[in-house]
Amino acid sequence: MNAELLKLRLLALPRWTAIAVLGGVVVTGAMLDVFPRDDGAAFIGVMGTVTSLLTEIAAIVLGAWAATLEFNSGALQRTLTAQADRSRVLLAKLGVLVLAVAALAIAAAAAAGGLVDVVTRQQGIDLDRGELARTLFANVPAAITVTVVAFGLGLLTRSIGGAITVALTFVLVLPGLLVFLPAVNRLVYATFEGDMTSRLAGDVAPGVEVHSLPVAVLGVVVWAVVLLVPGWLRFLRDDLK
Amino acid sequence: MVTAGSSAHPIEFEQVTKTFGKRTVLSDLSFSVPEGTVVGMLGPNGSGKSTAMRVLLGLYSATSGRARVLGQAKGDRGFAEAVRRVGTIIEAPPLYKRLSPIDNLRIRVAATGFSAGDAEVRGLLNRVGLAGRLDDPVGDFSLGMRQRVGIALALVGDPKIVVLDEPTNGLDPAGSFEIRKLIQELPGRGITTLVCTHRLAEIESTCDYAVLMQRGRLVAEGTLDEIRARSTVGGHRIQVAPEALERAVATLTALGLGQVSVDDGDVVLARTLDDPSVLTRALAQQGIYLRGLQTQHANLEEAFLEITGTDQDGTQP
């Protein structure tokens, strides 16, 4: 686990990903200051959407990166001679990754909330701060599950580019493609994840059909497991160099 | 030679076969490496050396047979702990190129769980001649310097075994010399070393014992002298009085030790004997006394080519 923490700390991609997420939040806060909105809900909506999108993309990039790092750097032999128990290697990677993404998502939500608070106070706009916090922090579980999905796809494809592309398609594009097949669309990962986030944020519009929170969580967990297990088993069983 | 679980043989291959689909890469490979020795695994490109190393380290699963490291084979309870005591470089040193040598070693130390402070890490890098470049990204290093970082990585945590695959690949003569010197120091630290190479000079300058492979099979093993002795290129050149020449040829031929001929007034036995006194005794019993006896050894290259029937690149003549 220490080695995975060191990789996160020393290697460039995690650092730049964190900078991109937090930088994106800061830039959004600045934009809201420069181009003010009329009501607090608009501030929450803009910042909530940006934070959600940034953390999900970061989670996908970090998940794919962590799973494929050794394949891409040729350091797999070094990792597997330091720890020949492959399940432990994956558990350490995934454990550290989930903690890191959760920390990043919480930091992004906190920064976003702080910025919105400062900007709305300066502009004298009334804001439901409870709603702001719920909206921003509701993204954290989604970021974690997206990480697991991207990690699983990384193990399966063994290509960071391939894993990111497939994960982005799966999480962000597929629901749009299936909009004309609502019965199918209700069962895809992104719908369960979106419904889970909406329920946690308490942001369910009247008349919109949304899974209940337990069903949404169950759907997300099942999808995460389904997408994680094949790559995990492939890593355990294959000849690796 | 293979003794299951023997601590005297930290590396053991026992009838290991590895196939990829219909292609057999290792075929019934059996040999073991005595503790504290430097053993060379020699073979042309594609002979299965790297695959054998990967099977040993559990990166590949053997199709049949068992490869043991410190008495533990893949699937055994103690295998992970045993492999942790092995320092390796298989093919190119696996490095994070944007990190410094120190950070590369820190990750290795953390991954293995060994306790090594910064001073020890720096000491290890100093020992492989990288004292002046400790904080530079290894991506800026020459191939030789990366290989040194690889050797330092292999030495993290005082390994019991070091497995090196083509350790001087791409190095200039000075770099190769320094790496060989490092390898020669390993037995003194109690480290058993397996050097996998297609370079005969590397084996001759660093190894006590060699295993010759061809097309996934072990074709010969032994000390370097034993392997050289298997070549017909070496032999003994014997000087006797001219009038005794014919009798000497007849006497040595009767011993059945190998082809005997006459060359430039000398009797030539086309085989190197471990104990040439056999010749002197046989001749003395016939009343033939030697004026001289020279032993000629084939070099390892000649022996290797003769045993495998190939050139060094694995091409059949």
Side-chain angles (χ1 to χ4, degrees):
Chain A
M1 208 145 192
N2 287 340
E4 298 307 321
L5 281 170
L6 266 178
K7 288 175 202 170
L8 270 180
R9 192 162 69 80
L10 295 173
L11 294 171
L13 188 140
R15 191 164 54 240
W16 283 110
T17 305
I19 288 169
V21 170
L22 297 175
V25 168
V26 170
V27 168
T28 307
M31 297 294 279
L32 288 172
D33 195 32
V34 174
F35 304 104
R37 295 289 185 272
D38 295 334
D39 66 303
F43 278 87
I44 295 172
V46 170
M47 194 53 108
T49 304
V50 168
T51 309
S52 164
L53 203 59
L54 284 171
T55 49
E56 288 215 351
I57 291 172
I60 287 172
V61 169
L62 289 172
W65 170 81
T68 59
L69 172 65
E70 275 85 359
F71 289 106
N72 293 326
S73 65
L76 194 58
Q77 169 225 129
R78 186 164 118 193
T79 299
L80 293 179
T81 52
Q83 175 52 269
D85 185 334
R86 296 183 186 184
S87 291
R88 284 191 177 203
V89 170
L90 292 183
L91 281 172
K93 275 184 177 296
L94 191 56
V96 168
L97 182 67
V98 163
L99 289 176
V101 168
L104 179 60
I106 289 168
L115 283 169
V116 169
D117 187 53
V118 169
V119 170
T120 51
R121 276 181 201 279
Q122 276 180 353
Q123 294 175 7
I125 293 170
D126 198 25
L127 187 73
D128 182 344
R129 288 183 169 71
E131 186 190 345
L132 174 66
R134 278 196 307 277
T135 301
L136 293 173
F137 286 99
N139 293 323
V140 175
I144 291 170
T145 53
V146 167
T147 307
V148 176
V149 166
F151 186 78
L153 292 171
L155 290 178
L156 200 59
T157 61
R158 296 179 183 175
S159 148
I160 185 168
I164 289 174
T165 306
V166 175
L168 282 173
T169 304
F170 197 73
V171 175
L172 300 177
V173 180
L174 197 60
L177 293 176
L178 292 173
V179 76
F180 298 111
L181 296 168
V184 177
N185 211 5
R186 273 181 62 76
L187 299 175
V188 299
Y189 168 82
T191 303
F192 286 116
E193 189 221 279
D195 290 355
M196 178 179 74
T197 304
S198 296
R199 291 284 183 192
L200 288 171
D203 177 28
V204 180
V208 178
E209 206 176 343
V210 175
H211 291 296
S212 67
L213 184 59
V215 171
V217 170
L218 184 67
V220 165
V221 170
V222 168
W223 267 112
V225 169
V226 164
L227 292 169
L228 179 63
V229 166
W232 191 289
L233 291 178
R234 190 177 177 212
F235 188 84
L236 295 191
R237 291 176 181 174
D238 272 13
D239 288 336
L240 299 172
K241 54 168 156 174
Chain B
M1 182 129 184
V2 173
T3 317
S6 163
S7 61
H9 293 92
I11 296 173
E12 298 166 309
F13 287 86
E14 189 179 346
Q15 295 178 305
V16 172
T17 295
K18 175 67 184 171
T19 58
F20 294 103
K22 290 181 178 173
R23 194 163 55 93
T24 300
V25 181
L26 294 178
S27 182
D28 207 24
L29 181 68
S30 293
F31 71 92
S32 58
V33 178
E35 189 173 10
T37 55
V38 181
V39 171
M41 188 188 264
L42 180 64
N45 296 329
S47 59
K49 305 184 298 290
S50 297
T51 301
M53 300 228 175
R54 292 193 176 106
V55 170
L56 179 73
L57 297 170
L59 301 172
Y60 288 179
S61 297
T63 307
S64 66
R66 283 167 83 76
R68 291 191 191 86
V69 54
L70 296 170
Q72 305 291 325
K74 189 178 182 187
D76 291 350
R77 190 178 287 241
F79 180 68
E81 180 54 31
V83 169
R84 226 162 57 90
R85 310 300 307 188
V86 183
T88 60
I89 306 178
I90 297 187
E91 292 178 351
L95 303 173
Y96 296 111
K97 294 190 178 112
R98 293 191 179 184
L99 299 187
S100 66
I102 286 202
D103 285 339
N104 268 281
L105 260 71
R106 280 182 185 139
I107 290 176
R108 172 75 186 174
V109 168
T112 50
F114 295 122
S115 57
D118 254 22
E120 282 174 77
V121 167
R122 284 173 189 274
L124 209 50
L125 288 164
N126 288 344
R127 215 167 70 217
V128 296
L130 287 171
R133 304 289 301 270
L134 298 184
D135 296 311
D136 296 346
V138 295
D140 294 347
F141 284 10
S142 68
L143 197 56
M145 291 175 74
R146 286 186 206 176
Q147 203 72 2
R148 290 183 203 194
V149 179
I151 300 257
L153 279 168
L155 295 176
V156 163
D158 283 329
K160 298 271 184 210
I161 297 171
V162 168
V163 174
L164 303 170
D165 190 4
E166 308 287 2
T168 59
N169 233 4
L171 299 190
D172 58 22
S176 299
F177 177 74
E178 284 180 31
I179 296 295
R180 283 178 193 151
K181 246 174 53 179
L182 280 170
I183 295 170
Q184 286 163 349
E185 289 171 12
L186 297 179
R189 302 172 61 205
I191 297 172
T192 304
T193 309
L194 182 60
V195 180
C196 170
T197 183
H198 66 281
R199 294 167 182 229
L200 297 147
E202 202 154 287
I203 299 277
E204 288 199 293
S205 59
T206 57
C207 298
D208 312 306
Y209 195 88
V211 173
L212 270 56
M213 289 183 65
Q214 188 183 34
R215 295 193 188 89
R217 291 180 180 278
L218 187 148
V219 290
E221 67 172 311
T223 62
L224 302 190
D225 282 342
E226 284 169 351
I227 289 175
R228 287 189 199 102
R230 289 184 54 171
S231 169
T232 57
V233 175
H236 299 282
R237 183 172 277 270
I238 301 154
Q239 287 87 43
V240 295
E243 58 275 15
L245 199 60
E246 275 186 32
R247 281 196 300 128
V249 170
T251 303
L252 297 182
T253 303
L255 290 175
L257 295 173
Q259 191 186 344
V260 180
S261 58
V262 176
D263 177 48
D264 200 19
D266 294 342
V267 182
V268 175
L269 173 65
R271 180 185 160 195
T272 309
L273 303 178
D274 289 340
D275 179 13
S277 68
V278 174
L279 305 176
T280 56
R281 275 200 306 272
L283 292 172
Q285 281 168 5
Q286 298 300 316
I288 305 167
Y289 296 98
L290 270 62
R291 291 181 171 179
L293 170 73
Q294 288 94 40
T295 299
Q296 298 171 319
H297 283 292
N299 63 35
L300 197 59
E301 182 175 36
E302 289 164 333
F304 175 79
L305 297 179
E306 196 175 334
I307 290 166
T308 60
T310 60
D311 63 22
Q312 277 192 52
D313 294 324
T315 312
Q316 294 282 1

